[in-house]
Amino acid sequence: MRLSRYFLPVLKETPSEAQIVSHRLMLRAGMIKQASAGIYSWLPLGYKILRKIEAIVHEEQGRAGHIPMLMPTLQSADLWRESGRYDAYGPEMLRIRDRHERDMLFGPTNEEMITDIFRCHVSSYRDLPMTLYHIQWKFRDERRPRFGVMRGREFLMKDGYNFDLTREDALHAYNRHLVSYLRTYERMGLQAIPMRADSGPIGGDDTHEFLVLAETGESEVFYDSEITDLKFGDRKIDYDSHDECRAVLEEFTSRYARTDETHDPELFAKVPEDRQRQARGIEVGQIFYFGTKYSEAMGANVVDPDGNRVPVHMGSHGIGVSRLVGAIIEASHDDKGIIWPEGVTPFHAGIVNLKQGDEEADAACQALYDSLVTMGLEPLYDDRDERAGAKFATMDLIGLPWRITVGPRGLKNGVVELTCRRTGESEEMPPEQAVTRIGQIYARKV
Amino acid sequence: MRLSRYFLPVLKETPSEAQIVSHRLMLRAGMIKQASAGIYSWLPLGYKILRKIEAIVHEEQGRAGHIPMLMPTLQSADLWRESGRYDAYGPEMLRIRDRHERDMLFGPTNEEMITDIFRCHVSSYRDLPMTLYHIQWKFRDERRPRFGVMRGREFLMKDGYNFDLTREDALHAYNRHLVSYLRTYERMGLQAIPMRADSGPIGGDDTHEFLVLAETGESEVFYDSEITDLKFGDRKIDYDSHDECRAVLEEFTSRYARTDETHDPELFAKVPEDRQRQARGIEVGQIFYFGTKYSEAMGANVVDPDGNRVPVHMGSHGIGVSRLVGAIIEASHDDKGIIWPEGVTPFHAGIVNLKQGDEEADAACQALYDSLVTMGLEPLYDDRDERAGAKFATMDLIGLPWRITVGPRGLKNGVVELTCRRTGESEEMPPEQAVTRIGQIYARKV
């Protein structure tokens, strides 16, 4: 993309309404614009990152064997009356009346609707196990929306639902989700720690939240420092294997890690003192096993191998897709702006032309651009007639991990400059070598 | 995908509530499930097609230089009061009140919101031309929703908005959209004819609707039969060239083609009688040029090269993404079911194992499956323990364009059967040849 043809409305001033760094940076980098309280338009740059995150979630869900579908944003109140949650859900539920005076709502989650789909179409254990998921906009009418997309009202979420014949199978689905979520977050450059959590209005006993450590996190967390040494990495896993998935769960949840909701000071005291940590975290996902809570209330039964009709065991599993954009920024930024992890960066590299209009510089930039595109990468070429300082500031603000700087002086010596956003280190090299280097970086990451 | 691991709830009976063939087939093929009146869940197969259509729209928008972003589903009523449309819009607008008693609405279109984004961020002619678009769920509270996704209440739409300094530039944007829409529809296997239309509540003088001819179409259309001989084909076009885009517009709109809303019997009579056609059509898109209607009402001005503040010229452009799924089926089906054009098919080929459990047949199917996946294609392998007849009926119903049938008898002679869904013709050939053939078919199409 050439910046002269893009829509990237960066702000010079820091918007006063934004209290946390991700909100400030998203506004300044022209990623979002508030449409109304807690509701945002995703400007082109923000939208690009949202799509990257969505794509990673889809890929990892597919790898785990989960099936994508899409449920609508608006739901009928009747389904929620069946489960008893229509009245139980507080004022966070946006209630709507249509032109025929029918009660509707903007879905905050989809347990009822997916259970309805299941009961209408599945009647035999032979169709199990099954996990369906979707990525759809949800609404929670927060009393006081704030922190930008971190606590908005309209938000994008991946929510998945497993249907299993037995408690054991459903617990495998739970473990499988934990594994796939670990992979998902790591691909986004995040360390998200599974912590024992409270199930809230979803219900059920088994639940873990995934938290990213960050000073601005809304939750207070307590954990054994050993846990931050764990990495899922690129290990291969057979998602069908109960044992393999359980082993990962045990590895990642055996050490103490809890939010303030479930914190147990006595247990925590047993962690060696030098490993006790207290910090703040951002919730980026949660998994639940709630057994037959919805299937019993709504009559979602299957015939088991012995011919008995039994309610299915279920769980649900969520990833806060739009919230992750903010969480990644909270975890990865500096004074100059955002630092995107390579896995989610909106453009793979920036090209800065120090002297737009200079024939040689223009040609070198164009050649770099074309080479990167040929490699399947997407560069952002700042081809505006602007001072170098302004171009650098924009690139630093929007946080592309790599920048190639091209100027007439360097070109005389046959070199351009490759700069790493994270370390700030620059290196001169021939243009072809810069292209090769960037190609290698992303080949490793993908 | 292995069918045994998929969720494809095909129906044996034809649902009585469905009046038109696309609705019937979408329900029977397990593509959608009604959630409430005019609101649908997209089951895995339906969702896959929706995503394919969305991907084609994104690609063709990108090719034309239009920039993707995303606006929210809910909008503040205040913006619509500014344009005067809050009161003008009828009961089709779903009006909502949030917990703080603020008036909101579920967006049926986005002229106001995009104009607001523009006026907040753009102030100079130097940033023009610019076309922004998004693909987002919209809501129109139809009094009597029907025909499945063809006339639903919650629907997915691509809507784009151009901002230009002059009327001439804005008309180029109009023409450019027409060209890109022609390409878009052809890639989906559709012939969509641009017809002079009525602008309705969007406003403006220049507008064309794109109509797909189909017996069940909601519009009566009148056209010169020469128009159906036109094909955009794979011609190259420079989207920046005013002349090239205008030439395409002239080629595709110079012949008589109108809906009943704009039909002019006197003009139509001038078409040679043997070329006069009267038929029915399904609207799948519309483009508008409405000048300064919204920019004046909402103060979206830019400074022109002479230093004057002038309102921008705008147009908007829509493609009915979810509706297209129905329209394609209306245009492409037979008694047995759907026939997907290769450009949008959910799976590239079906593999039918005539004797599941037979070692040789199972191995041959798996080898075919792996070969197709290696080529970057996505097969659907019916690995269920079902009779051949049931497997064929499912494949015909869900409409994959190509089927490979594998059985012990054929394998003895070293062959499998390749069947074309559209013609019904089958041919025996070695498995490797079937794979090569399918690879060639899709290489041509992509």
Side-chain angles (χ1 to χ4, degrees):
Chain A
M1 179 60 68
R2 283 166 166 269
L3 197 40
S4 65
R5 295 192 146 221
Y6 203 49
F7 179 50
L8 183 72
V10 301
L11 305 180
K12 292 217 176 67
E13 264 120 73
T14 298
S16 58
E17 77 269 28
Q19 297 168 35
I20 61 171
V21 66
S22 61
H23 191 190
R24 278 198 295 274
L25 288 174
M26 287 179 76
L27 289 169
R28 282 192 52 212
M31 289 174 60
I32 52 169
K33 178 185 183 305
Q34 181 172 302
S36 43
I39 305 181
Y40 292 87
S41 287
W42 293 76
L43 304 183
L45 189 75
Y47 175 65
K48 231 165 148 31
I49 295 146
L50 195 65
R51 291 280 285 191
K52 290 248 174 157
I53 291 174
E54 208 183 356
I56 291 174
V57 172
H58 273 304
E59 281 174 32
E60 294 302 327
Q61 287 299 304
R63 208 185 294 267
H66 306 158
I67 305 172
M69 59 172 298
L70 188 64
M71 288 175 272
T73 63
L74 295 199
Q75 306 187 17
S76 155
D78 292 339
L79 274 180
W80 288 67
R81 292 198 176 104
E82 269 192 71
S83 72
R85 286 208 292 180
Y86 188 67
D87 294 322
Y89 225 98
E92 274 77 33
M93 180 186 276
L94 186 67
R95 292 154 210 261
I96 300 171
R97 216 161 244 190
D98 73 7
R99 68 188 288 175
H100 297 300
E101 299 293 323
R102 280 175 300 215
D103 288 325
M104 319 270 300
L105 55 97
F106 200 122
T109 177
N110 287 63
E111 281 79 9
E112 284 79 359
M113 193 177 273
I114 198 80
T115 306
D116 180 51
I117 290 170
F118 183 89
R119 71 179 172 185
C120 288
H121 289 300
V122 180
S123 55
S124 162
Y125 75 95
R126 286 201 186 83
D127 293 326
L128 307 182
M130 183 162 81
T131 295
L132 299 167
Y133 77 94
H134 75 159
I135 300 180
Q136 177 61 292
W137 291 90
K138 311 280 192 296
F139 202 90
R140 279 188 204 146
D141 203 357
E142 296 270 356
R143 197 174 57 83
R144 205 158 78 81
R146 58 201 151 137
F147 304 151
V149 301
M150 299 280 286
R151 196 159 186 165
R153 296 198 293 167
E154 187 169 327
F155 59 98
L156 188 61
M157 189 169 139
K158 171 258 160 181
D159 43 322
Y161 306 86
N162 68 287
F163 300 91
D164 288 278
L165 181 61
T166 64
R167 178 182 151 84
E168 196 211 321
D169 287 351
L171 287 176
H172 168 60
Y174 185 89
N175 301 346
R176 192 176 65 230
H177 277 86
L178 182 129
V179 176
S180 100
Y181 278 27
L182 289 173
R183 271 190 65 99
T184 303
Y185 297 122
E186 279 193 14
R187 281 188 60 186
M188 298 174 189
L190 288 177
Q191 180 171 47
I193 303 171
M195 301 197 179
R196 185 182 281 261
D198 186 49
S199 66
I202 303 282
D205 298 325
D206 287 288
T207 177
H208 279 92
E209 265 179 8
F210 290 77
L211 286 110
V212 173
L213 300 177
E215 280 167 32
T216 49
E218 76 274 52
S219 309
E220 196 165 13
V221 299
F222 302 85
Y223 61 94
D224 178 340
S225 68
E226 279 193 354
I227 214 164
T228 52
D229 299 332
L230 297 175
K231 243 193 149 12
F232 188 80
D234 50 8
R235 52 180 115 173
K236 298 264 175 288
I237 191 129
D238 174 2
Y239 279 109
D240 288 337
S241 161
H242 287 219
D243 290 345
E244 286 189 29
C245 290
R246 187 168 43 235
V248 174
L249 174 104
E250 277 163 12
E251 178 184 350
F252 280 81
T253 64
S254 61
R255 290 170 189 80
Y256 191 93
R258 298 197 176 187
T259 66
D260 44 6
E261 283 173 346
T262 54
H263 180 49
D264 179 339
E266 263 180 65
L267 258 180
F268 189 50
K270 291 184 187 155
V271 176
E273 208 163 334
D274 61 320
R275 283 171 21 204
Q276 290 178 12
R277 296 285 184 283
Q278 185 172 350
R280 301 201 72 83
I282 301 168
E283 192 211 322
V284 292
Q286 189 160 5
I287 55 178
F288 300 89
Y289 164 67
F290 44 68
T292 56
K293 171 176 169 168
Y294 296 91
S295 53
E296 285 193 42
M298 297 181 63
N301 304 307
V302 292
V303 173
D304 75 8
D306 302 326
N308 304 314
R309 280 171 62 82
V310 295
V312 286
H313 286 254
M314 292 174 59
S316 70
H317 318 276
I319 293 180
V321 175
S322 49
R323 156 172 271 238
L324 271 166
V325 180
I328 293 170
I329 296 174
E330 292 291 336
S332 183
H333 67 271
D334 64 14
D335 292 345
K336 296 178 186 164
I338 303 164
I339 307 173
W340 292 116
E342 271 106 358
V344 298
T345 184
F347 296 95
H348 297 98
I351 301 173
V352 167
N353 189 340
L354 292 178
K355 198 165 181 189
Q356 204 67 40
D358 174 274
E359 206 171 310
E360 213 191 338
D362 290 2
C365 287
Q366 189 61 48
L368 280 166
Y369 188 92
D370 293 341
S371 304
L372 290 168
V373 168
T374 305
M375 293 174 85
L377 298 177
E378 221 182 341
L380 179 68
Y381 171 21
D382 191 344
D383 61 342
R384 297 170 306 163
D385 188 15
E386 280 274 5
R387 285 173 311 103
K391 290 189 175 188
F392 289 151
T394 298
M395 283 291 175
D396 284 345
L397 174 62
I398 68 172
L400 309 187
W402 298 93
R403 186 185 82 208
I404 307 176
T405 309
V406 180
R409 207 178 315 166
L411 289 176
K412 280 219 172 64
N413 303 319
V415 296
V416 297
E417 198 179 60
L418 180 64
T419 306
C420 172
R421 173 71 181 84
R422 193 171 293 278
T423 64
E425 281 163 23
S426 291
E427 204 182 326
E428 293 197 331
M429 61 186 75
E432 311 75 48
Q433 196 183 322
V435 169
T436 309
R437 188 81 75 81
I438 289 173
Q440 283 163 348
I441 289 160
Y442 287 101
R444 270 207 316 272
K445 300 277 170 181
V446 178
Chain B
M1 178 60 67
R2 282 166 166 269
L3 197 41
S4 64
R5 295 190 146 223
Y6 203 49
F7 177 51
L8 182 72
V10 300
L11 306 181
K12 291 216 177 66
E13 264 120 71
T14 297
S16 58
E17 77 270 26
Q19 298 168 35
I20 61 170
V21 67
S22 61
H23 191 192
R24 278 198 295 274
L25 288 173
M26 287 180 75
L27 290 168
R28 283 192 51 212
M31 288 174 60
I32 51 170
K33 179 183 183 307
Q34 182 172 302
S36 43
I39 304 181
Y40 292 87
S41 286
W42 293 77
L43 304 183
L45 189 74
Y47 175 64
K48 231 164 148 29
I49 295 146
L50 196 64
R51 290 280 286 192
K52 290 249 175 158
I53 291 174
E54 209 182 354
I56 291 174
V57 172
H58 272 303
E59 280 173 32
E60 293 303 327
Q61 287 299 303
R63 207 185 294 268
H66 305 158
I67 304 172
M69 59 172 297
L70 188 64
M71 288 174 272
T73 64
L74 295 198
Q75 306 186 18
S76 154
D78 292 340
L79 274 181
W80 288 68
R81 291 197 177 103
E82 270 192 71
S83 73
R85 286 208 293 179
Y86 188 67
D87 294 321
Y89 226 98
E92 275 76 33
M93 179 186 275
L94 186 66
R95 291 153 211 262
I96 301 170
R97 215 159 247 191
D98 73 8
R99 69 188 288 176
H100 298 299
E101 300 293 323
R102 278 174 302 214
D103 288 324
M104 318 269 301
L105 56 97
F106 200 123
T109 177
N110 287 63
E111 280 79 9
E112 284 78 0
M113 193 177 272
I114 197 79
T115 305
D116 180 50
I117 290 170
F118 183 89
R119 72 179 171 185
C120 288
H121 289 300
V122 181
S123 56
S124 162
Y125 75 95
R126 286 200 186 83
D127 293 326
L128 306 184
M130 183 162 81
T131 294
L132 299 167
Y133 77 94
H134 74 158
I135 300 180
Q136 178 61 292
W137 291 91
K138 311 281 191 298
F139 201 90
R140 279 188 203 147
D141 203 357
E142 296 270 356
R143 196 174 57 83
R144 204 159 77 80
R146 58 202 151 135
F147 304 152
V149 300
M150 299 281 286
R151 196 158 184 165
R153 295 199 293 167
E154 188 169 327
F155 59 97
L156 187 61
M157 188 168 139
K158 171 258 160 181
D159 42 324
Y161 305 87
N162 67 287
F163 300 90
D164 288 279
L165 182 61
T166 64
R167 178 181 151 83
E168 196 211 319
D169 287 349
L171 287 176
H172 168 60
Y174 186 90
N175 301 346
R176 191 177 65 231
H177 277 86
L178 183 129
V179 176
S180 99
Y181 279 26
L182 288 173
R183 273 190 65 101
T184 303
Y185 296 122
E186 279 193 14
R187 282 188 60 187
M188 298 174 189
L190 288 177
Q191 180 171 46
I193 304 171
M195 299 195 180
R196 185 182 281 262
D198 187 47
S199 66
I202 303 282
D205 300 324
D206 288 287
T207 178
H208 280 92
E209 265 179 9
F210 290 77
L211 286 110
V212 172
L213 300 177
E215 280 167 32
T216 49
E218 76 276 51
S219 310
E220 196 165 13
V221 299
F222 303 84
Y223 62 94
D224 178 340
S225 68
E226 278 193 355
I227 216 164
T228 52
D229 299 332
L230 297 175
K231 242 191 152 10
F232 189 80
D234 51 9
R235 52 180 113 173
K236 298 263 175 290
I237 192 130
D238 175 2
Y239 279 108
D240 289 337
S241 161
H242 287 218
D243 290 345
E244 285 189 30
C245 291
R246 186 167 45 234
V248 173
L249 174 104
E250 278 163 12
E251 179 185 348
F252 279 81
T253 63
S254 61
R255 290 170 191 81
Y256 191 92
R258 297 195 177 189
T259 65
D260 43 7
E261 284 172 345
T262 54
H263 181 51
D264 179 338
E266 262 179 65
L267 258 180
F268 189 52
K270 291 183 185 154
V271 176
E273 209 163 333
D274 62 318
R275 284 175 15 208
Q276 290 178 13
R277 296 285 184 282
Q278 185 172 350
R280 301 200 72 83
I282 300 168
E283 192 212 322
V284 292
Q286 188 160 7
I287 55 179
F288 299 90
Y289 164 68
F290 43 68
T292 56
K293 173 177 168 167
Y294 297 91
S295 52
E296 284 193 43
M298 298 180 63
N301 304 307
V302 293
V303 173
D304 74 8
D306 302 326
N308 305 314
R309 281 171 62 80
V310 294
V312 286
H313 286 256
M314 292 173 59
S316 70
H317 318 276
I319 292 179
V321 175
S322 49
R323 155 171 272 237
L324 271 166
V325 180
I328 293 170
I329 297 173
E330 291 291 337
S332 183
H333 67 272
D334 63 14
D335 292 346
K336 296 177 187 165
I338 303 164
I339 308 173
W340 292 115
E342 271 106 358
V344 298
T345 184
F347 296 96
H348 297 97
I351 301 172
V352 167
N353 189 340
L354 292 178
K355 200 166 182 189
Q356 204 67 40
D358 176 272
E359 207 172 306
E360 213 190 340
D362 291 1
C365 286
Q366 188 61 50
L368 280 166
Y369 188 92
D370 294 340
S371 304
L372 289 168
V373 168
T374 305
M375 293 174 85
L377 298 177
E378 221 182 341
L380 179 68
Y381 171 19
D382 191 343
D383 61 342
R384 297 170 307 162
D385 189 13
E386 280 275 5
R387 285 175 310 103
K391 290 190 174 187
F392 290 150
T394 298
M395 283 291 176
D396 285 345
L397 174 61
I398 69 171
L400 308 187
W402 299 92
R403 186 185 82 208
I404 307 176
T405 309
V406 180
R409 206 178 314 166
L411 289 175
K412 281 219 173 64
N413 302 319
V415 296
V416 297
E417 199 180 61
L418 181 64
T419 305
C420 172
R421 172 70 181 85
R422 194 171 290 280
T423 64
E425 281 164 22
S426 290
E427 206 182 324
E428 294 196 330
M429 61 186 74
E432 310 76 46
Q433 196 182 323
V435 169
T436 309
R437 188 81 76 82
I438 289 173
Q440 284 163 348
I441 288 160
Y442 286 101
R444 269 207 316 272
K445 299 278 169 180
V446 177

